[in-house]
Amino acid sequence: MNRFVTCLLTSAALCAALPRQAHAELDAVKLKAAIETSFESDYPKLDAIYKDLHAHPEIAFQEVKTAAKLAAEMRALGFEVTEGVGKTGLVALYKNGDGPTIMVRTELDALPMEEKTGLPYASRDKATWNGRETFVAHSCGHDIHMASWVGTAKTLLGLKDQWHGTLMFIAQPAEEEVAGARAMIADGLFTRFPKPDTGFALHDGAGAYGYVSYRVGVGSSNVDGLFIRFHGRGGHGAMPQATIDPVMMAARFVVDVQSVISREKDPTEFGLVTIGAIHAGTAGNIIPDEAVVVGTIRSFKPQVRAKMLAGIERTAKAVAAMADAPAPEIRLDEGTKAVVNDAAVVGTAEKALKAAFGEKFMVTPANTTSEDYSEFVNAGVPSMFFNIGVYDPERVAAARKSGTPLPGNHSALFAPVPKPTIATGVTAMTLAVLSAFDQHVKGN
Ligand SMILES: [Zn+2]
Ligand SMILES: [Zn+2]
């Protein structure tokens, strides 16, 4: 049993009493085994935290009880906790001598939807959102992230003779609205608190538990919102010659806008437009005054994004001009940018994670979904964002064979297997953080 293992299995006081050895290579394999052993004894508590969070989810910027629960856990571990950062966010700091500041982020928020998993700890909670009552569910797995975040903090404290510096554990609100990261930064995240030298975040998904995936460079998409209001002239459905038909314009736009993707954008580059909502009219024999289309625009590269935004705007104007209608109202709202993983941070972490997870640690293509962790990266925190799976590997293999995918994030049936999923989150995140501290020691 090596020094790491001994430390993790004994008390922090005993660890501190052990002599600190001259710097050696991080032994990720032995560390992983030690983390897994300590996880076994920590798990009953983490399981209770997870199931409580899962059963009582809260929506973006309403995560008051969720944040209070995490604050209590972190205070009990000895972190200095500041609540209410960026409305409902929190910052937990643990200083352990001189050294770099390493940030680990979790999200707090759940989704406005009804859970249909039938699990004994399924959510039946409701909330008011955008003026209406809705069910709330952790169908994106942010509860898995929170339990892994608490577990990682506890594990790192058990290993505190192995690193020196500051842990900065942050819990951000409103990731689903890609608004919480910006709110925390605007509220002084990097001025009232230390600016991290390195940052990490993880996200779960419908893959197999025990697996960790990552990529160098772009890891998620740029997102922009699309809102277009076509102005027509309403009238009788049997007298179209006296009207300007906005439903016709909306229909034409929905089809023609896809030619921006297929004909204008470089086909070897990722970009998409999805129209998720059309609002117009009340009855079959009335031509309405206006039609609204709402959608989302995704891309990886800034130049592809710029080309698409220009093409979408031109198509909307052209469709209105073709109908001899007034110019449409066009709002292409900037959402958040792609998360770009830092090559040096990834290079360091991947050595430890590869040694620990072997072929279960793998490079995967970038996600076409978006994530406002990019706000922290763009504020100057070199980072690594990685993914973990949540389902039994045999079920995942069977689903792949049958061609019917397992329920993914934002599905009412999304149901991670808690223990092995949280174990993977805690192990991978702890190793990633230790690798960052280790790199700093070498760098000095
Ligand atoms: Zn989500
Ligand atoms: Zn999410």
Side-chain angles (χ1 to χ4, degrees):
M1 194 178 278
N2 82 344
R3 189 169 55 99
F4 300 126
V5 182
T6 317
C7 277
L8 204 51
L9 296 181
T10 53
S11 73
L14 184 56
C15 273
L18 286 171
R20 172 139 181 105
Q21 296 174 351
H23 186 76
E25 223 21 72
L26 204 67
D27 191 338
V29 177
K30 284 187 176 152
L31 267 174
K32 180 174 185 253
I35 293 165
E36 283 168 353
T37 306
S38 91
F39 179 81
E40 276 303 319
S41 57
D42 291 343
Y43 189 68
K45 176 113 207 239
L46 295 175
D47 188 71
I49 293 171
Y50 170 71
K51 285 175 182 164
D52 176 48
L53 292 170
H54 188 93
H56 303 294
E58 292 174 298
I59 231 153
F61 289 127
Q62 299 181 16
E63 316 94 328
V64 178
K65 288 181 192 148
T66 305
K69 286 172 192 171
L70 294 194
E73 293 298 331
M74 297 306 266
R75 281 197 183 106
L77 289 176
F79 279 75
E80 186 187 313
V81 179
T82 307
E83 292 173 80
V85 182
K87 294 187 187 164
T88 46
L90 67 91
V91 178
L93 294 171
Y94 190 95
K95 290 197 181 73
N96 181 29
D98 291 334
T101 298
I102 311 293
M103 182 176 89
V104 178
R105 184 212 69 171
T106 183
E107 316 89 317
L108 293 163
D109 59 323
L111 289 160
M113 61 186 286
E114 183 176 2
E115 177 171 356
K116 294 178 181 166
T117 60
L119 289 165
Y121 50 91
S123 165
R124 298 307 299 159
D125 284 10
K126 289 181 177 175
T128 302
W129 184 66
N130 286 350
R132 67 184 171 87
E133 191 182 57
T134 171
F135 280 103
V136 188
H138 264 303
S139 305
C140 202
H142 297 178
D143 46 358
I144 290 281
H145 307 169
M146 288 186 264
S148 303
W149 184 84
V150 172
T152 300
K154 173 124 197 323
T155 308
L156 284 165
L157 295 202
L159 286 166
K160 71 178 180 187
D161 77 324
Q162 299 305 314
W163 56 271
H164 288 103
T166 301
L167 294 176
M168 182 171 174
F169 273 56
I170 67 164
Q172 82 155 75
E175 188 279 330
E176 294 295 353
E177 295 185 356
V178 293
R182 217 173 272 169
M184 288 188 86
I185 293 168
D187 198 10
L189 178 63
F190 298 139
T191 51
R192 291 161 57 197
F193 306 95
K195 175 96 178 268
D197 296 280
T198 304
F200 293 100
L202 60 78
H203 208 295
D204 58 11
Y209 55 63
Y211 285 75
V212 180
S213 61
Y214 73 111
R215 69 257 349 138
V216 181
V218 174
S220 67
S221 68
N222 300 304
V223 55
D224 295 280
L226 176 158
F227 177 100
I228 297 168
R229 190 190 306 274
F230 289 103
H231 302 290
R233 184 167 63 233
H236 201 292
M239 295 191 289
Q241 75 280 13
T243 74
I244 296 175
D245 185 350
V247 175
M248 188 80 172
M249 285 187 265
R252 187 168 271 152
F253 173 80
V254 169
V255 175
D256 281 356
V257 76
Q258 295 301 335
S259 71
V260 174
I261 307 304
S262 66
R263 302 290 84 187
E264 296 185 28
K265 179 185 69 60
D266 179 342
T268 64
E269 299 286 2
F270 167 71
L272 67 79
V273 181
T274 291
I275 304 301
I278 305 178
H279 304 293
T282 53
N285 62 350
I286 305 167
I287 292 170
D289 284 324
E290 60 175 45
V292 170
V293 296
V294 185
T296 189
I297 306 160
R298 306 294 170 115
S299 58
F300 289 151
K301 294 188 178 166
Q303 60 272 33
V304 174
R305 172 177 178 267
K307 182 141 203 163
M308 284 167 56
L309 294 185
I312 289 163
E313 187 165 345
R314 188 162 24 78
T315 304
K317 285 180 179 162
V319 159
M322 211 197 258
D324 200 18
E329 177 188 342
I330 303 172
R331 293 204 322 250
L332 304 179
D333 297 324
E334 188 173 338
T336 196
K337 295 289 191 295
V339 174
V340 181
N341 278 339
D342 182 81
V345 174
V346 172
T348 300
E350 83 185 335
K351 274 188 219 132
L353 292 168
K354 186 117 241 160
F357 286 89
E359 62 189 23
K360 292 184 176 176
F361 178 66
M362 54 197 183
V363 175
T364 50
N367 294 313
T368 58
T369 49
S370 306
E371 161 63 66
D372 68 350
Y373 187 85
S374 57
E375 301 292 331
F376 303 126
V377 174
N378 293 338
V381 183
S383 293
M384 178 177 181
F385 188 96
F386 58 88
N387 294 83
I388 58 172
V390 303
Y391 289 127
D392 181 341
E394 281 180 18
R395 264 190 88 197
V396 173
R400 227 163 255 158
K401 214 168 170 186
S402 75
T404 310
L406 293 170
N409 305 74
H410 294 209
S411 159
L413 300 173
F414 185 64
V417 184
K419 190 175 177 185
T421 303
I422 297 167
T424 308
V426 169
T427 307
M429 188 58 88
T430 302
L431 286 170
V433 171
L434 287 174
S435 78
F437 279 118
D438 189 61
Q439 182 62 24
H440 181 78
V441 173
K442 282 185 191 139
N444 284 350

